[in-house]
Amino acid sequence: MMLKKRYLLLAALLGVASFTLRAETLTVAASAVPHAEILEFVKPQLARQGVDLQVKVFDDYVQPNVQVSEKHIDVNFFQHQPYLDKYNQSHGTHLVGVVPVHIEPFGVYSHRYKSLAQVPDEGVVAIPNDPANVGRALLLLARNGLITLKDPHNILSTTQDIVANPKNLQIRELDAAVLPRVLDQVDLAVINTNYALEAKLTPTRDAIALENGRSVYANLLVARPDNQNSPAVKKLAAALNSPEVRQFIESKYKGSIIPAF
């Protein structure tokens, strides 16, 4: 009987080892919040499907695309389509969106004022400096009456497209990651929701103006043309668009992050 139990235990261990050997590793470059949190949520589900999901956290908007393009990492999850289009255009790459996952509404924040009406003439406004998000920030400022743009629908607007600036606001373009840290030094800051959440800001509570969440800004799972249809990437895409992830986003982020599927 004891010998039989040993054989059964050995068989079970070999079975686990066999599963581990068969598991396919899929590496994902992601921003910490909420992207990595969502990926960690689906990790057990993918493990049951034979995919060992390895999440690599980055704090910038360039290296995740570099790492995927150079095949050091399989896919990434941190950006929306306008940013991806601009990156591909300027770097000669051909990264592709696989599925949209969520929308992160941009917010306007201030440590000095409770409303946009209180912002003084020549107030300093900090916005993200990457091309796609410059336009997005300017559109938000325009929709709230602080500036007027040449084309109020152009998602790639720049400061050169401002045709009216009644308060003569001084717009400063800074790295997106540092925006929460300069709130004490500026009158307003337009902050990406992932960085706002990392700084313990709640968009629905702390923002004095909030984007309405257009689908063009849905954050995507991004891959290369050579691996976008691989079994592991398809499994991850399906998991990220599952009812369980929808419920996770809605319950955890309470409107600060919105499902895009």
Side-chain angles (χ1 to χ4, degrees):
M1 183 62 70
M2 184 62 69
L3 186 60
K4 183 178 180 180
K5 286 183 178 179
R6 288 179 179 174
Y7 277 127
L8 289 173
L9 177 60
L10 179 60
L13 290 173
L14 288 174
V16 171
S18 176
F19 175 80
T20 303
L21 290 173
R22 290 198 307 271
E24 179 179 354
T25 298
L26 184 69
T27 54
V28 188
S31 297
V33 180
H35 309 79
E37 293 177 341
I38 296 171
L39 290 166
E40 291 294 341
F41 175 75
V42 301
K43 193 171 184 176
Q45 176 184 342
L46 290 168
R48 291 191 293 270
Q49 299 177 44
V51 177
D52 178 17
L53 190 67
Q54 297 293 317
V55 182
K56 312 292 184 182
V57 175
F58 288 78
D59 61 2
D60 74 283
Y61 285 166
V62 176
Q63 279 303 310
N65 279 337
V66 172
Q67 296 297 314
V68 173
S69 297
E70 295 181 355
K71 300 187 177 182
H72 301 305
I73 289 179
D74 299 311
V75 294
N76 67 47
F77 178 33
F78 76 99
Q79 65 193 313
H80 50 61
Q81 191 67 52
Y83 182 90
L84 177 60
D85 291 342
K86 191 69 177 179
Y87 183 89
N88 280 333
Q89 180 184 11
S90 59
H91 291 80
T93 51
H94 301 88
L95 300 175
V96 293
V98 181
V99 290
V101 180
H102 69 270
I103 299 167
E104 300 176 11
F106 256 30
V108 181
Y109 299 83
S110 177
H111 280 174
R112 300 177 180 177
Y113 309 106
K114 298 296 184 182
S115 73
L116 296 178
Q118 296 175 329
V119 179
D121 290 349
E122 299 188 356
V124 178
V125 182
I127 66 174
N129 64 0
D130 55 278
N133 283 323
V134 166
R136 187 178 180 184
L138 293 175
L139 288 176
L140 180 56
L141 295 175
R143 283 197 293 272
N144 283 277
L146 292 176
I147 60 173
T148 302
L149 294 171
K150 185 186 305 180
D151 179 355
H153 305 291
N154 180 14
I155 62 175
L156 295 179
S157 294
T158 71
T159 54
Q160 300 302 311
D161 296 310
I162 298 174
V163 295
N165 184 357
K167 291 192 174 187
N168 194 29
L169 297 174
Q170 308 301 302
I171 298 176
R172 304 283 184 259
E173 298 179 20
L174 302 174
D175 184 81
V178 308
L179 291 171
R181 300 199 291 271
V182 302
L183 269 175
D184 289 329
Q185 305 164 38
V186 300
D187 295 291
L188 299 175
V190 184
I191 304 177
N192 309 57
T193 292
N194 59 309
Y195 290 126
L197 293 175
E198 287 180 35
K200 308 303 180 186
L201 295 167
T202 300
T204 52
R205 181 194 66 207
D206 299 318
I208 57 177
L210 195 61
E211 196 178 48
N212 59 11
R214 297 184 176 184
S215 61
V216 69
Y217 296 121
N219 279 216
L220 310 160
L221 176 65
V222 170
R224 299 183 303 273
D226 68 286
N227 72 350
Q228 64 175 321
N229 293 314
S230 73
V233 171
K234 284 186 173 181
K235 289 175 183 177
L236 175 57
L240 290 173
N241 276 186
S242 66
E244 292 80 8
V245 165
R246 171 180 289 277
Q247 184 177 14
F248 175 78
I249 291 173
E250 291 175 343
S251 62
K252 182 173 178 63
Y253 302 110
K254 303 184 187 307
S256 297
I257 305 294
I258 305 167
F261 56 92

